[in-house]
């Protein structure tokens, strides 16, 4: 007998297995490739679960960020493309992999062991022939963009004619900066104390005025006239610039990597890159906790569309580089990434013709393909499973009803036979009673 609210173990097990089947199907769908494409020799596979990160409030992952940076790099002029390089989002992660996860050579320095982790990454690349090396970095749940600038230079030169420059940096208001030791679990170099003031200065909150970059550039050109300079340096673009020590460790780690990379590329020649200054550039800041990856994408786009015109530190003329609305208002940057994926998908259609889920943004996306909500598919599966459950339940009830009818019929037949004195039945009943008494005596 089943009591009201009673659920058998068999039913619980059955529902659990069905739920698992649905979850497996959901996972399988999430792993489907919606785009397989090569951009400048790099292969990318964008899956449903990557694509869904374009939803409002979701954080970008390494695959989407690298895809966007490489795509935008491929659209540069041949000259700009040839003089720059975008590292994979996994480069810095591999460079700073914790010691306990590595098989380091104890006879080598920490910096040399770090370089060995990524030595193969540049076997066909000479970074010292590039103007800009872009390094997207994910650290502590936050994305930043490091740019190594003019690594072949040994000092400042005039942008106009390339002659050496003695133009000093602006040290106005310099103050002593001290920080407690920071450990984050990564294998990074100790920060360069010379950087800390600049990093701290640029971590202070800036205003967000709209479209003032060009005004700031004109003021700078007027003030410096023909004294604009470029220099070997490491710039950190951080849309949530609060981790002064963390960013200083990034620049110190990249300096040491450059030193070993130079020796490796040029037959053991030594070059000390400690002369290379680093700075967190004062840039617009993200208004939320989730869009750091989108800002990294936008920093790269702005780097070429609104370039740095002077590398005298600290760099202030990017403070109003762009308004944050260019990234976050109406999910503008998310839609840009979406449209790029759609364009690439149209050029390289998916082999299985899988229809994409609708992205829930705060206003309509102009869609280039027919798309349907994947949740509808999941709902269909759930309804199908529910129908099967209802069908099985009806069949169970039907079987139970048959059994009950058969029991009632047997009882009526037995009673009828007893009423009419059926000898066979009487004999059978007597035998059964005798056996029961015999069993009782034996016990």
């Amino acid at each position: 007998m089943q009591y009201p609210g009673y659920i058998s173990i068999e039913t619980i097990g059955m529902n659990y297995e069905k739920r698992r089947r649905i979850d497996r199907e959901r996972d399988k769908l999430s792993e489907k490739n919606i785009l397989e494409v090569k951009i400048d020799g790099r292969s990318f596979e964008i899956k449903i679960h990557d694509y869904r990160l374009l939803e409002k409030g979701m954080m970008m992952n390494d695959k989407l960020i690298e895809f966007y940076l490489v795509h935008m790099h491929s659209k540069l002029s041949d000259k700009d493309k040839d003089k720059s390089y975008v590292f994979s989002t996994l480069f810095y992660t591999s460079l700073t992999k914790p010691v306990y996860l590595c098989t380091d050579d104890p006879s080598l320095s920490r910096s040399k062991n770090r370089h060995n982790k990524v030595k193969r990454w540049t076997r066909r690349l000479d970074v010292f022939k590039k103007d800009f090396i872009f390094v997207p970095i994910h650290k502590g749940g936050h994305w930043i963009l490091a740019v190594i600038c003019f690594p072949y230079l040994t000092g400042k030169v005039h942008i106009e004619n390339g002659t050496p420059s003695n133009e000093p940096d602006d040290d106005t208001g310099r103050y002593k900066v001290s920080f407690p030791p920071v450990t984050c679990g990564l294998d990074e170099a100790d920060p360069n104390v010379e950087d800390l003031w600049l990093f701290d200065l640029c971590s202070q909150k800036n205003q967000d005025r709209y479209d003032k970059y060009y005004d700031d550039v004109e003021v700078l050109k007027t003030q410096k006239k023909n004294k604009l300079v470029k220099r070997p340096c490491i710039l950190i673009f951080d849309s949530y610039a609060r981790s002064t020590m963390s960013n200083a460790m990034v620049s110190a780690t990249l300096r040491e990597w450059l030193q070993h990379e130079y020796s490796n590329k040029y037959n053991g020649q030594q070059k000390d890159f400690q002369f290379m200054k680093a700075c967190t550039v004062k840039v617009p800041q993200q208004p939320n906790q989730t869009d750091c990856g989108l800002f990294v994408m936008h920093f790269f786009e702005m780097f070429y569309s609104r370039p740095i015109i002077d590398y005298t530190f600290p760099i202030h003329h990017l403070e109003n580089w762009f308004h944050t609305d260019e990234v976050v208002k109406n999910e503008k940057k998310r839609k840009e990434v979406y449209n790029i994926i759609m364009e690439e998908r149209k050029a390289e259609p998916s082999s299985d013709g899988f229809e994409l889920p609708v992205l829930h943004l705060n206003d309509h996306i102009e869609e280039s393909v027919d798309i349907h909500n994947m949740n509808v598919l999941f709902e269909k599966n759930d309804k199908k499973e529910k129908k099967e459950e209802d069908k099985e339940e009806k069949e169970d009830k039907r079987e139970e009803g048959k059994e009950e009818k058969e029991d009632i019929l047997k009882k009526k037949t037995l009673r009828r036979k007893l009423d009419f004195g059926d000898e066979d039945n009487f004999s059978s009943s007597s035998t059964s009673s005798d056996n029961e008494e015999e069993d009782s005596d034996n016990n």
Side-chain angles (χ1 to χ4, degrees), residues 35 341-349 368-369:
L35 177 64
I341 291 175
M342 291 301 102
E343 289 171 8
E344 293 287 356
R345 195 167 186 262
K346 189 175 181 180
E348 299 286 341
S368 56
V369 294

Side-chain angles (χ1 to χ4, degrees), residues 414-430:
L414 179 60
R415 189 177 299 111
R416 191 180 301 111
K417 288 181 178 180
L418 290 174
D419 290 341
F420 287 93
D422 189 294
E423 294 181 0
D424 293 336
N425 184 67
F426 179 78
S427 173
S428 174
S429 299
S430 300

Side-chain angles (χ1 to χ4, degrees), residues 364-380:
H364 182 62
I365 293 180
E366 290 299 328
E367 296 146 359
S368 56
V369 294
D370 291 329
I371 57 177
H372 296 280
N373 193 340
M374 187 187 289
N375 290 329
V376 173
L377 180 59
F378 295 147
E379 288 172 6
K380 287 181 180 177

Side-chain angles (χ1 to χ4, degrees), residues 334-346:
R334 294 179 187 271
K335 292 173 185 175
E336 181 186 344
V337 181
Y338 167 88
N339 288 327
I340 291 173
I341 291 175
M342 291 301 102
E343 289 171 8
E344 293 287 356
R345 195 167 186 262
K346 189 175 181 180

Side-chain angles (χ1 to χ4, degrees), residues 15-221:
N15 290 338
Y16 175 72
E17 285 301 319
K18 288 179 180 178
R19 191 73 258 166
R20 285 189 64 189
R21 286 202 303 273
I22 293 173
D23 290 341
R24 282 196 296 269
E25 186 174 356
R26 192 184 299 266
D27 292 340
K28 185 178 179 181
L29 288 169
S30 294
E31 287 297 321
K32 271 186 172 291
N33 285 338
I34 66 168
L35 177 64
E36 296 180 30
V37 66
K38 269 195 173 184
I39 305 176
D40 286 349
R42 296 198 201 182
S43 298
F44 291 93
E45 291 183 352
I46 306 297
K47 300 180 183 297
I48 284 291
H49 65 78
D50 303 315
Y51 174 83
R52 274 199 170 281
L53 294 179
L54 294 175
E55 290 271 9
K56 181 179 180 180
M58 301 295 286
M59 294 185 70
M60 297 295 98
N61 66 0
D62 54 346
K63 193 176 294 186
L64 289 173
I65 290 173
E66 185 173 342
F67 167 77
Y68 179 88
L69 297 182
V70 173
H71 171 85
M72 295 302 291
H73 182 265
S74 73
K75 302 300 181 184
L76 298 176
S77 67
D78 290 341
K79 180 182 177 180
D80 286 338
K81 193 190 305 184
D82 185 58
K83 298 296 288 183
S84 61
Y85 185 78
V86 177
F87 266 117
S88 164
T89 49
L90 297 178
F91 173 75
Y92 193 81
T93 302
S94 300
L95 176 67
T96 59
K97 187 182 297 182
V99 175
Y100 63 84
L101 295 178
C102 305
T103 55
D104 287 351
D105 185 343
S107 66
L108 301 178
S109 65
R110 284 179 58 197
S111 59
K112 180 59 177 173
N113 274 315
R114 271 196 296 271
H115 180 266
N116 284 343
K117 298 173 190 174
V118 294
K119 188 176 179 178
R120 64 180 180 81
W121 290 63
T122 54
R123 63 184 181 274
R124 297 188 183 91
L125 168 70
D126 188 349
V127 298
F128 302 101
K129 293 182 178 178
K130 305 292 183 181
D131 285 345
F132 305 112
I133 308 296
F134 297 90
V135 187
I137 297 171
H138 186 255
K139 184 178 175 184
H142 178 58
W143 285 100
I144 63 172
L145 181 65
V147 185
I148 302 170
C149 305
F150 314 108
Y152 52 84
L153 293 178
T154 56
K156 294 179 186 176
V157 298
H158 289 103
I159 289 178
E160 186 178 12
N161 53 27
T163 58
S165 170
N166 293 321
E167 283 297 307
D169 288 323
D170 182 6
D171 287 345
T172 304
R174 177 177 284 277
Y175 50 89
K176 184 177 181 181
V177 180
S178 60
F179 291 90
V182 174
T183 56
C184 62
L186 300 180
D187 181 18
E188 294 181 292
D190 295 329
N192 186 329
V193 177
E194 290 300 313
D195 299 336
L196 292 178
W197 176 70
L198 288 167
F199 277 71
D200 187 54
L201 181 70
C202 290
S203 70
Q204 297 170 14
K205 185 173 179 58
N206 58 317
Q207 295 179 351
D208 188 15
R209 303 194 305 270
Y210 185 70
D211 204 23
K212 294 292 183 180
Y213 161 80
Y214 299 103
D215 292 343
D216 294 341
V217 164
E218 289 304 316
V219 170
L220 185 60
K221 286 180 177 179

